[in-house]
Amino acid sequence: MFSFNTMQPRQMLTQVLNFGLILSTAFMLWKGLSVATDSPSPIVVVLSGSMEPAFQRGDILLLWNRGMETQIGEVVVYNVKGKDIPIVHRVVRRFGGGDKVLKLLTKGDNNPSDDTSLYAQGQAYLDRSKDVIGSVVGYIPFVGYVTILLSEYPWLKTVMLGLMGLMVVIQRE
């Protein structure tokens, strides 16, 4: 049986440092992806069924924000002022571009109407350079469902973090 009393201080420090190394590596990978894709959030999870059948709830989307000339039919992820959850929808109209500000109108594939009701009050279109986080360049089906479960059941987050911390501490090298 394992006991914290039998663990030497050096072993305990090593395990804590390993845990810190894992967390800092994950953070550096996230920031590296953010810089490479020019997106504050290079990976997002589909939270609703508004883009079915193209994307299902729980799909992980990979974003790219380096090309600013978004085309009709392209799937983009955008933030709405005053809301902290990104929205994944398809571009159905575009206005401007070139020297003018590129404005986009979006719509979910599974929605009956466009997104003007989702935009901030008084906003009729998305500004490509300010509102859009990135364009979808790839996806991984259903892997992000863990994120949905963790947000819908907060106690599960605590249990999972506790188990991960316990595994790091009791693992011996």
Side-chain angles (χ1 to χ4, degrees):
M1 171 109 185
F2 176 78
S3 170
F4 286 109
N5 296 335
T6 62
M7 208 175 209
Q8 298 295 320
R10 181 176 256 176
Q11 284 178 317
M12 180 70 86
L13 182 61
T14 301
Q15 296 303 332
V16 169
L17 288 174
N18 280 340
F19 187 65
L21 183 64
I22 290 168
L23 290 179
S24 63
T25 300
F27 179 73
M28 287 187 305
L29 284 171
W30 181 262
K31 285 300 177 185
L33 269 175
S34 292
V35 169
T37 62
D38 194 27
S39 175
S41 186
I43 299 171
V44 296
V45 176
V46 177
L47 298 176
S48 74
S50 67
M51 280 302 291
E52 290 178 358
F55 301 114
Q56 305 294 320
R57 190 167 187 247
D59 288 355
I60 288 184
L61 304 179
L62 310 172
L63 305 183
W64 186 259
N65 199 31
R66 295 237 174 242
M68 297 303 254
E69 284 298 317
T70 305
Q71 302 301 317
I72 293 174
E74 198 170 318
V75 178
V76 296
V77 178
Y78 64 91
N79 275 334
V80 175
K81 294 172 189 90
K83 298 179 183 172
D84 60 347
I85 297 175
I87 298 173
V88 180
H89 283 172
R90 190 176 307 277
V91 175
V92 292
R93 275 204 170 135
R94 57 176 267 153
F95 305 94
D99 295 342
K100 297 180 182 178
V101 174
L102 179 58
K103 296 187 178 206
L104 307 171
L105 180 64
T106 57
K107 178 187 173 296
D109 290 356
N110 203 19
N111 291 349
S113 62
D114 63 38
D115 292 347
T116 50
S117 62
L118 298 175
Y119 299 158
Q121 188 172 358
Q123 185 179 14
Y125 304 102
L126 297 174
D127 182 333
R128 174 61 176 93
S129 61
K130 293 179 185 173
D131 299 321
V132 175
I133 298 172
S135 296
V136 177
V137 293
Y139 76 102
I140 305 169
F142 300 112
V143 176
Y145 214 88
V146 173
T147 304
I148 294 172
L149 289 175
L150 291 175
S151 65
E152 288 179 357
Y153 303 103
W155 59 268
L156 197 57
K157 205 180 298 184
T158 307
V159 169
M160 201 164 141
L161 284 172
L163 285 173
M164 286 177 12
L166 186 64
M167 293 302 288
V168 167
V169 170
I170 64 174
Q171 177 187 4
R172 295 188 181 190
E173 293 183 17

